[in-house]
Amino acid sequence: MDDYGIIIKKMSFCYVKDNYIFKNMDLAIKKGESVGIVGANGVGKSTLLRLIVGLEAGYEGHISVSGIDVTKKSLPMVRKKAGYVFQDADSQMFLSHVEDNVAFGPSNYGMEQEEISACVKKALCETGIEHLKKRSVYQLSGGEKKLASIACVLALNPDIIMFDEPSVTLDPKNRRKLIHVLGRLDKTKLIASHDLDFILDTCDRTILLSRNGVISDGKSRDILLDKGLMEGSGLELPLSVLGR
Amino acid sequence: MNRFDNMLGEMCSIDREASKEGWLNEMHPLVKLLVTIWYICFVISFKNNMLTGILSMSVYLIICFLMADISLYKCLKRMRTVLFAFFIIGGANILFSENFSTGVTGAAGFWCKGVMSVFAVYILIVTTSIDDICEALRMLHVPGLLVTVIMLIYRYINILIKETKRLSESYFVLSPGQKGIHIKAWGQFAGNLMLRSIDRAKRVYDSMNMAGYEWRILSGNRKKYKLGAGSLMWLFVWTGVIAVFRIIPVFELVGNMLAG
Ligand SMILES: Nc1ncnc2c1ncn2[C@@H]1O[C@H](COP(=O)(O)OP(=O)(O)O)[C@@H](O)[C@H]1O
Ligand SMILES: [Mg+2]
């Protein structure tokens, strides 16, 4: 079991009683894997990520992250192992300066000042935005903001990092930059998105969700390029394929 | 809509000044908080008609403004709304008093007390970040939950300004040529604004917790400040001086001495 980052067994969850979004779901993600989670709007991509980091409580069944069961008590440990990049970067960065936002996590976990500075520096370096360190969040462009919010999560040096719709609101140039940054990250990655080209560029494995749970799980190429499968679940083939 | 940008920019620059380096910025936040509270209590304790006494308390403000190199112009500009409110309330004092001249003295006293308290608070916030103020409150054993609420309110203000900006922008896009928001739309506008702000605040709170915030509060893991000799001296000198100025009419004594 040691080589698994995330294990989900017989998990069920609903926001409204008896209106299940997941029913007896099973899923296992190995350490170091890059996994895309795709599906039409409202199938529960975000909910799945939020369950894994304990932002939604009250699931039935079993979820564990890096060998730790996700319960109310274990949340601080779980959240140190698994980071979550919010869809909207403004929520992730609530302090005025980039540097303070990135340092927020490490300072909560009681690190010394030098240690915090080292974490901040490393996170900014990994996302390639050292030059934005002193900038105010209000003065950042959309792409810079996204990278900065990723740096906030990286500062805690998690084993697993999850992204909710990372490419939405980015222009093509920033999108390419983000793909490049993600490619260099040596971590277990979970990316929820309906930008299929983005998943194709960043993930080896793809999980296709529908109202009835996981309907397909396998190599990104096999799933994303399967016209029948994609259209059956309300998605379109990646543009890069259509263009050819 | 520019107004919101200005407000955001202003809050931003206050925060930046607070994290700037400077001897008053680096002083222990607890000491600054205590001196500020002490100062405001003593200023407020003056009766409205004790104008010379009240004015003598400005010594603290003058010294802080000069020594920490705080801009009076910026202070007046940023605090203008609050100061204006004090001016109006003080003015009402004249209307409701029996005698015009006592009314005017009362209003002047009230106004000075208000302005001086606002200035003292301004000195605190311009030299201390909100996080440090919250740490100081926790050191005073203010319950963690209450401190969290204070911190959230501070963050809410940011969120509220941003959401108002977004919502009013979308409103103006849909109703071109209108000067303000039509009175009929106010109720819905406010309701919508509240819902959006709550939603945003919840997300911010989630992300704070993702970064271990709740855990820090529960485990009491806090940044450590050293109570240096400079900070202690600042505390003792000012608590002493403020008390002396309150009890002894220093200005009058000096005046009498000069007059022979
Ligand atoms: N807080 C909530 N309360 C009730 N229902 C919710 C809540 N959040 C999401 N949902 C519902 O759960 C479903 C899955 O939502 P979500 O995970 O956001 O989907 P996705 O990210 O795949 O678009 C949707 O049908 C949505 O309406
Ligand atoms: Mg979503």
Side-chain angles (χ1 to χ4, degrees):
Chain A
M1 293 305 242
D2 267 0
D3 30 327
Y4 282 97
I6 299 170
I7 298 174
I8 297 177
K9 269 192 208 144
K10 296 215 169 309
M11 188 273 288
S12 305
F13 177 78
C14 53
Y15 283 107
V16 186
K17 202 163 182 289
D18 292 331
N19 186 2
Y20 281 94
I21 294 175
F22 302 114
K23 190 94 187 159
N24 285 327
M25 181 192 222
D26 289 310
L27 185 66
I29 289 165
K30 286 207 182 85
K31 282 189 179 155
E33 261 186 319
S34 300
V35 181
I37 298 174
V38 300
N41 268 333
V43 294
K45 303 182 292 292
S46 308
T47 307
L48 181 61
L49 299 190
R50 292 171 61 82
L51 278 164
I52 294 170
V53 289
L55 284 174
E56 299 296 344
Y59 64 88
E60 298 153 37
H62 174 95
I63 301 178
S64 76
V65 171
S66 289
I68 309 164
D69 282 349
V70 179
T71 61
K72 196 161 191 304
K73 264 203 174 144
S74 67
L75 284 187
M77 283 313 295
V78 167
R79 288 171 179 180
K80 208 161 178 299
K81 297 274 184 200
Y84 180 57
V85 179
F86 283 70
Q87 178 172 347
D88 109 74
D90 281 319
S91 299
Q92 195 122 37
M93 293 185 290
F94 38 80
L95 301 173
S96 4
H97 292 86
V98 173
E99 188 180 16
D100 302 337
N101 280 296
V102 180
F104 184 76
S107 67
N108 282 337
Y109 281 91
M111 294 184 190
E112 294 295 329
Q113 197 54 54
E114 291 107 66
E115 220 178 329
I116 295 176
S117 308
C119 285
V120 171
K121 195 165 173 216
K122 185 158 168 273
L124 291 174
C125 182
E126 279 173 320
T127 43
I129 49 165
E130 291 108 316
H131 58 291
L132 300 178
K133 188 174 167 183
K134 299 278 177 203
R135 285 272 282 279
S136 154
V137 173
Y138 307 115
Q139 298 162 352
L140 299 183
S141 74
E144 291 170 335
K145 236 183 231 177
K146 191 84 232 175
L147 291 174
S149 74
I150 294 173
C152 292
V153 174
L154 286 175
L156 281 172
N157 197 20
D159 298 338
I160 302 164
I161 179 163
M162 298 191 276
F163 301 84
D164 196 354
E165 308 280 3
S167 64
V168 87
T169 74
L170 293 188
D171 63 19
K173 183 161 162 265
N174 281 306
R175 197 169 156 283
R176 266 199 308 281
K177 200 165 170 189
L178 181 62
I179 292 174
H180 177 70
V181 167
L182 291 191
R184 280 190 317 183
L185 279 184
D186 184 22
K187 299 194 182 283
T188 312
K189 279 167 277 183
L190 226 64
I191 304 174
S193 180
H194 52 224
D195 179 349
L196 302 184
D197 290 285
F198 189 85
I199 299 288
L200 202 55
D201 283 337
T202 50
C203 301
D204 312 320
R205 178 181 162 194
T206 293
I207 294 167
L208 177 60
L209 287 183
S210 82
R211 286 252 166 235
N212 309 315
V214 179
I215 43 174
S216 192
D217 178 352
K219 280 214 170 70
S220 295
R221 296 219 135 253
D222 298 345
I223 292 181
L224 297 173
L225 306 190
D226 184 334
K227 194 160 186 261
L229 191 60
M230 285 292 111
E231 283 172 0
S233 45
L235 296 168
E236 286 178 357
L237 289 179
L239 290 173
S240 56
V241 182
L242 289 176
R244 268 173 224 158
Chain B
M1 270 153 281
N2 258 330
R3 221 174 314 159
F4 297 118
D5 281 333
N6 280 344
M7 250 199 276
L8 272 182
E10 216 141 89
M11 290 206 26
C12 214
S13 59
I14 288 185
D15 235 38
R16 194 165 29 236
E17 267 170 53
S19 49
K20 206 171 62 175
E21 285 179 8
W23 60 272
L24 196 52
N25 298 55
E26 257 135 60
M27 193 158 308
H28 197 288
L30 183 57
V31 165
K32 282 187 282 185
L33 182 66
L34 285 175
V35 170
T36 308
I37 294 173
W38 183 262
Y39 178 78
I40 292 175
C41 286
F42 275 80
V43 166
I44 290 177
S45 76
F46 276 103
K47 285 215 183 71
N48 280 352
N49 58 9
M50 298 162 79
L51 208 51
T52 16
I54 298 172
L55 283 175
S56 71
M57 297 296 266
S58 61
V59 168
Y60 166 73
L61 302 176
I62 294 169
I63 290 183
C64 282
F65 267 86
L66 290 179
M67 286 178 73
D69 199 18
I70 300 169
S71 150
L72 181 63
Y73 169 72
K74 269 196 211 160
C75 170
L76 288 172
K77 204 174 138 220
R78 284 169 177 164
M79 295 298 185
R80 62 182 182 273
T81 332
V82 189
L83 294 176
F84 188 66
F86 271 110
F87 192 73
I88 299 290
I89 300 169
N93 220 340
I94 305 176
L95 294 179
F96 293 117
S97 65
E98 295 136 32
N99 174 320
F100 182 74
S101 79
T102 53
V104 170
T105 348
F110 176 87
W111 201 66
C112 288
K113 275 160 54 172
V115 170
M116 285 159 72
S117 305
V118 170
F119 278 17
V121 170
Y122 181 78
I123 291 170
L124 177 70
I125 60 174
V126 88
T127 59
T128 320
S129 72
I130 180 72
D131 296 283
D132 285 348
I133 294 176
C134 286
E135 296 283 351
L137 285 171
R138 227 170 293 140
M139 280 179 223
L140 290 177
H141 294 281
V142 175
L145 189 67
L146 194 62
V147 177
T148 310
V149 169
I150 292 173
M151 214 171 209
L152 273 180
I153 288 174
Y154 182 83
R155 313 248 192 266
Y156 274 127
I157 292 175
N158 257 315
I159 293 167
L160 203 64
I161 295 173
K162 271 194 227 161
E163 285 304 328
T164 314
K165 184 182 162 176
R166 265 193 226 179
L167 207 56
S168 64
E169 268 168 5
S170 63
Y171 180 90
F172 284 114
V173 167
L174 292 177
S175 49
Q178 250 188 59
K179 274 252 164 62
I181 291 166
H182 195 277
I183 199 144
K184 275 188 196 147
W186 275 21
Q188 276 205 31
F189 188 87
N192 219 328
L193 181 63
M194 199 184 77
L195 285 181
R196 283 201 196 197
S197 309
I198 291 174
D199 192 53
R200 276 292 307 275
K202 191 175 163 296
R203 259 181 288 154
V204 169
Y205 195 60
D206 277 348
S207 99
M208 286 168 76
N209 283 334
M210 277 309 299
Y213 180 71
E214 209 169 32
W215 185 72
R216 176 180 72 154
I217 298 296
L218 291 177
S219 63
N221 202 342
R222 51 178 83 132
K223 205 163 121 193
K224 298 193 179 48
Y225 290 98
K226 285 201 190 82
L227 208 54
S231 296
L232 283 177
M233 223 164 79
W234 184 258
L235 179 65
F236 290 127
V237 167
W238 280 118
T239 43
V241 169
I242 291 166
V244 166
F245 271 63
R246 174 64 185 93
I247 295 159
I248 306 167
V250 180
F251 272 26
E252 276 166 42
L253 285 183
V254 173
N256 289 346
M257 253 161 56
L258 290 182

